[in-house]
Amino acid sequence: MRKPVRLAASAAAGLLTLSSLTACANDAAGTAGSGSGGGKGEHVKIMVGGLDKVIYMPAMLTQRLGYFSAEGLDVDLLSEPAGVQAETALVSGQVQGAVGFYDHTLDLQVKGKHIESVVQFSQAPGEVEVVSEKAADEITSPKDFKGRKLGVTGLGSSTDFLTKYLAVKNGVNVSDFTPVAVGAGPTFISALQKGSIDGGMTTDPTVATILEKKAGRILLDMRTPEGSQAALGGPYPSSSLYMSTDWVDGHKDTVQKLANAFVRTLKWMSTHSATEIAAKMPADYSQGDKALYAEAIKSTLPMFTKDGVMPTDGPETVEKVLKAFNPNIKNAKVDLSKTYTTEFVEKATG
């Protein structure tokens, strides 16, 4: 039975201190609500950087499979268009967890915020750099980014981070091109078709729709470990469940239940076809084309882990990418051991 999903209001501006985060999160966790789990069980709010994005599919799929309820959890899944907004919602105390890119944990650590990935969904970005049909003959590699307008989900988002890295790696300064926040889905496709952007970074199902509409072409495909290796030089852990370290330490039983549910989902995904997975998702996610949606899932499935464990050397690849263009991280020492934990996934009963 489909459970309702409530869209969050815009994330509060600014980042609060971790003490405020923990206090707010504790208050929110203790608040009863109907939520997406029907008000039964332990109530947890999770903000997702785009619930309908295939890269974040384990969040909704876990709910649809009933695995949150099986763990005695009442989980509210909320949605923001970009991962950076999910990050802000977490740090401002609106939610207890965020489903977004692992790289935010490094970025936040150098800002004095202690956040850690507790379940690692992926081993590759799941992102695709596309170029418009009009610009396809002129942009044949990231070396051609200079002077271009490139779409990202949001400024400061992981698509923004990765675009900047690809530029710098290929000899283009970050000041030589213009990142444009265009979200994903229809807004991204419209910007591509109208020429508001020359290309950009996005995920499925947006990629599948762009190709079906012949609105653009693939420049770089990072939906597989092999694609991640070629573009970034190693595994790139991206989509994950990350939470405040203080909150994790104070709510280990709840975090373990979340890990159990998510690991069970990842294992289920590894033994079912894209078509079977698509059939479990909300009907409107396919936007009227079930076959195209299943194809989008199939293209992205290789990015997912089967056990929620951080891939070997993954954190080091992420640090290398961020240090290439982010001056805050370039000149700071990051303690990677504090950006993730495998404690819960190793004990998961999934």
Side-chain angles (χ1 to χ4, degrees), residues 74-103:
D74 169 29
V75 175
D76 259 348
L77 293 177
L78 303 105
S79 188
E80 286 283 7
V84 66
Q85 293 162 318
E87 169 199 298
T88 303
L90 174 68
V91 179
S92 65
Q94 293 184 24
V95 295
Q96 292 80 54
V99 170
F101 268 40
Y102 161 72
D103 54 22

Side-chain angles (χ1 to χ4, degrees), residues 166-183:
L166 292 174
V168 170
K169 181 186 177 186
N170 288 275
V172 179
N173 293 326
V174 294
S175 59
D176 289 340
F177 68 93
T178 304
V180 183
V182 291

Side-chain angles (χ1 to χ4, degrees), residues 8 49 67 72 85 105 116 125 129 165 167 185 205 208 248-249 259 271 276 289 341:
Y67 294 163
Q85 293 162 318
T105 67
E116 61 187 8
E129 184 71 26
Y165 173 73
V248 170
D249 290 344
T271 58
E276 290 171 323
D289 194 330
T341 178

Side-chain angles (χ1 to χ4, degrees), residues 38-112:
K40 297 179 180 178
E42 201 168 354
H43 190 206
V44 180
K45 291 182 180 180
I46 297 175
M47 183 67 77
V48 184
L51 262 173
D52 58 351
K53 295 177 184 176
V54 177
I55 58 171
Y56 299 143
M57 183 173 61
M60 177 57 74
L61 184 57
T62 301
Q63 188 181 89
R64 301 282 288 185
L65 291 170
Y67 294 163
F68 289 137
S69 296
E71 291 292 331
L73 297 172
D74 169 29
V75 175
D76 259 348
L77 293 177
L78 303 105
S79 188
E80 286 283 7
V84 66
Q85 293 162 318
E87 169 199 298
T88 303
L90 174 68
V91 179
S92 65
Q94 293 184 24
V95 295
Q96 292 80 54
V99 170
F101 268 40
Y102 161 72
D103 54 22
H104 291 293
T105 67
L106 281 73
D107 188 48
L108 286 168
Q109 187 184 111
V110 301
K111 297 173 182 175

Side-chain angles (χ1 to χ4, degrees), residues 286-303:
S286 68
Q287 297 180 8
D289 194 330
K290 293 181 179 179
L292 186 65
Y293 182 57
E295 187 62 32
I297 292 175
K298 182 178 179 180
S299 297
T300 304
L301 274 178
M303 74 174 277

